[in-house]
Amino acid sequence: MAQPQQNLAITAPGFAGLNTQDSPLSLDVSFASLATNCVIDQFGRISSRRGFNAVTQNPEILSGNPIEVLFEFITEAGIKYLFACGNNQIYLQDIGGTRDLTALTVPNAITADNWQIASLNDKCYFVQNNHAPLVFDPAVSTTALAEWAEQPSTIPAINYVGNPGCVHAAFGRLWTGDFDGSNTVVAYSSLLNGEDYTTGGAGSLETSEYWPSGYDQVTSLFAHNDFLIIFGQTNILVYFTTPDVAADLALVDTIEGLGCIARDSVVPIGKDIFFIDATGVRSLNRTIQEKSIPIGD
């Protein structure tokens, strides 16, 4: 017999769990009669989720060690390369064929997996302290990496040695910092050539002259809203620049008492940048009209 329609307010369906014993005709709405790939969250709500699918088919190649760095490199032709760094190796993950990790040939032994990776002009660049910086050029080889043709330490005006510990691609140039021999220097390459540090407007900055509260060291680099952000441990320097860096690089703001303690914690989210300070997670708010950049928790 037909019955009038009734509206039911179901605030937390299925929060009592899965019930397959009772008839669904008399089953209370607090029970679920079917539940697939879902969990009950802390508020009593059903939360569905997709499981992870394994991409790597030969994880034993890592010898039980974790993958510490992942980076997707997309060439101008749209070809995708997925790099995985772990077990003191740099692997190339196949994502469409055998789905295996393949170790790339490197010129020197690797003793750590703390790589920071950036891409510029169809090449991929790898840096970490105490290691010669490497480059992946698919036009030359897709199975091997090479050392940079020219090291940032060859800049004539700067007398320092060592390898960079951080890298960032911005304004058509490659920016490097936190060198083994001088952790206050930031070097930038020539236009569209991340391996040229002597021509094409390449140069460097000695940040020790500009920290607002005494000595500090470069921990991370990032570009945002036409600004080059140089993060120290307890200070931040903000430079305005254009592709013609040699003529237009200018210090426009300094932030004292706040810095970045973890190089890889700097994360862009479109309209803002998050990073980790000694006091916790901070945001470097984007500004367009104002020159001063505010800080938020």
Side-chain angles (χ1 to χ4, degrees):
M1 182 176 177
Q3 297 180 355
Q5 179 177 336
Q6 298 182 16
N7 295 324
L8 299 177
I10 304 176
T11 55
F15 74 91
L18 181 64
N19 188 336
T20 60
Q21 301 297 319
D22 297 331
S23 170
L25 296 177
S26 59
L27 195 63
D28 189 271
V29 295
S30 61
F31 289 96
S33 58
L34 177 66
T36 303
N37 193 25
C38 64
V39 296
I40 307 298
D41 65 16
Q42 59 181 333
F43 302 106
R45 301 172 301 191
I46 291 182
S47 302
S48 61
R49 60 181 181 181
R50 293 183 61 184
F52 290 103
N53 292 325
V55 175
T56 302
Q57 298 298 304
N58 61 335
E60 65 279 358
I61 197 173
L62 292 164
S63 302
N65 295 295
I67 293 175
E68 298 191 26
V69 178
L70 282 173
F71 186 83
E72 184 183 45
F73 170 49
I74 304 177
T75 67
E76 293 178 0
I79 301 174
K80 296 181 180 180
Y81 296 93
L82 182 60
F83 297 103
C85 306
N87 194 30
N88 293 336
Q89 297 281 350
I90 299 177
Y91 299 95
L92 197 59
Q93 170 68 59
D94 181 79
I95 56 178
T98 61
R99 300 172 71 184
D100 288 341
L101 285 172
T102 302
L104 296 173
T105 303
V106 293
N108 296 301
I110 298 175
T111 59
D113 299 307
N114 191 32
W115 295 103
Q116 188 170 37
I117 310 172
S119 62
L120 176 69
N121 197 22
D122 230 23
K123 294 182 182 180
C124 202
Y125 298 88
F126 298 70
V127 307
Q128 71 168 316
N129 288 125
N130 303 312
H131 290 74
L134 303 175
V135 59
F136 176 81
D137 186 354
V140 176
S141 174
T142 58
T143 60
L145 293 97
E147 290 188 12
W148 293 7
E150 185 178 8
Q151 304 295 323
S153 56
T154 60
I155 298 174
I158 298 297
N159 182 21
Y160 65 93
V161 294
N163 301 304
C166 62
V167 64
H168 186 65
F171 312 111
R173 301 174 187 267
L174 205 65
W175 301 76
T176 55
D178 186 23
F179 290 87
D180 297 329
S182 178
N183 52 24
T184 60
V185 171
V186 173
Y188 50 90
S189 71
S190 65
L191 193 62
L192 299 180
N193 188 350
E195 298 177 78
D196 180 7
Y197 289 86
T198 55
T199 64
S204 62
L205 289 169
E206 178 52 78
T207 62
S208 62
E209 302 173 359
Y210 303 103
W211 299 118
S213 60
Y215 174 79
D216 206 341
Q217 64 185 62
V218 177
T219 58
S220 190
L221 303 169
F222 205 84
H224 192 58
N225 195 31
D226 288 335
F227 293 107
L228 173 69
I229 314 297
I230 301 178
F231 291 95
Q233 291 185 334
T234 57
N235 299 273
I236 300 174
L237 302 178
V238 182
Y239 283 84
F240 175 79
T241 185
T242 67
D244 187 10
V245 172
D248 299 324
L249 191 63
L251 182 66
V252 295
D253 201 0
T254 61
I255 302 173
E256 183 179 352
L258 196 68
C260 176
I261 63 171
R263 180 198 68 183
D264 299 318
S265 70
V266 182
V267 178
I269 59 168
K271 64 179 181 180
D272 204 350
I273 299 175
F274 286 172
F275 63 96
I276 295 180
D277 175 65
T279 58
V281 178
R282 293 281 188 167
S283 70
L284 189 67
N285 295 332
R286 180 184 183 187
T287 58
I288 297 178
Q289 296 179 343
E290 297 180 3
K291 293 298 183 182
S292 181
I293 297 182
I295 293 293
D297 293 330

